[in-house]
Amino acid sequence: MDIEAYILAHSEPEGDYLHRLWRATHLHTLHGRMASGALQGRILKMFVQMLRPKRILEVGTFAGYSAICMAEGLEADGHLWTFDIDDEMEDFTRQWIDQSPVADKITFQIGDANELAPALGIDFDLIFLDGDKRTYCATYERLFPLLRTGGFILADNTLWDGHVIEAAYDNDHQTQGIRAFNDLIQADPRVENVILPLRDGLTLIRKK
């Protein structure tokens, strides 16, 4: 048994519905690995339960796994808005979100969160950033004003399978985007930040 299997065996299980979603994502999409998975999903739920946000914004829905996990942690009056630009995933994702036990807590929309989220007129307590790595910096700057003081941003994939420190990926645009984002956050006096080595990196960012 490897260490991740041991961790999963001693953590809250993801539940049957999420497990079926995870399997379906790997069977029916080209990039199933992009789904958060059981360990990160349980951590996202726990973060929501600890932080008790009322309004969550997710950038990058993919199959809906992370949205459902976060919605599981919401209190009765909480809600999550999630956006994805990939309209080819819409039918798959909407079906799984709409049939989930937390469907009433999730609003799923196809489109660019940088354009659509500000139009909602909502101050968010928590933002989960998991969209296009090449535009992380622009998305951060665009959505930062929507985050309340004391609110949190969780940015996924910020170690990018270790590529952020590998010279072989110097010309890779997604790696460049992640490196630029990490440098931006580290230099931003408006926030406190820490990178967790979970999967391929999860950065916790608190707005001062």
Side-chain angles (χ1 to χ4, degrees), residues 63-119:
Y65 190 102
S66 54
I68 293 171
C69 289
M70 288 186 286
E72 284 181 337
L74 283 169
E75 297 181 351
D77 57 347
H79 199 81
L80 180 147
W81 288 259
T82 181
F83 297 89
D84 202 289
I85 60 174
D86 186 1
D87 57 0
E88 292 184 356
M89 282 289 296
E90 180 175 8
D91 289 345
F92 178 92
T93 302
R94 192 171 299 282
Q95 169 189 333
W96 281 95
I97 289 178
D98 287 351
Q99 294 178 7
S100 76
V102 289
D104 61 326
K105 295 184 178 181
I106 301 174
T107 297
F108 168 49
Q109 189 169 351
I110 293 293
D112 187 348
N114 291 340
E115 299 176 1
L116 299 176

Side-chain angles (χ1 to χ4, degrees), residues 4 33-37 39-40 43 128-131 133 136 155-166 174-175 178-179 181-182 195-203:
E4 183 169 345
R33 183 178 177 276
M34 290 170 52
S36 291
L39 178 57
Q40 182 168 341
I43 289 173
F128 183 48
L129 179 57
D130 191 23
K133 315 312 170 192
Y136 258 26
D156 203 12
N157 311 119
T158 49
L159 296 179
W160 205 229
D161 282 334
H163 300 335
V164 289
I165 60 170
E166 296 175 354
Q174 296 191 85
T175 302
I178 291 294
R179 289 174 178 171
F181 175 78
N182 290 340
I195 297 178
L196 301 181
L198 171 67
R199 295 184 75 216
D200 60 347
L202 181 68
T203 300

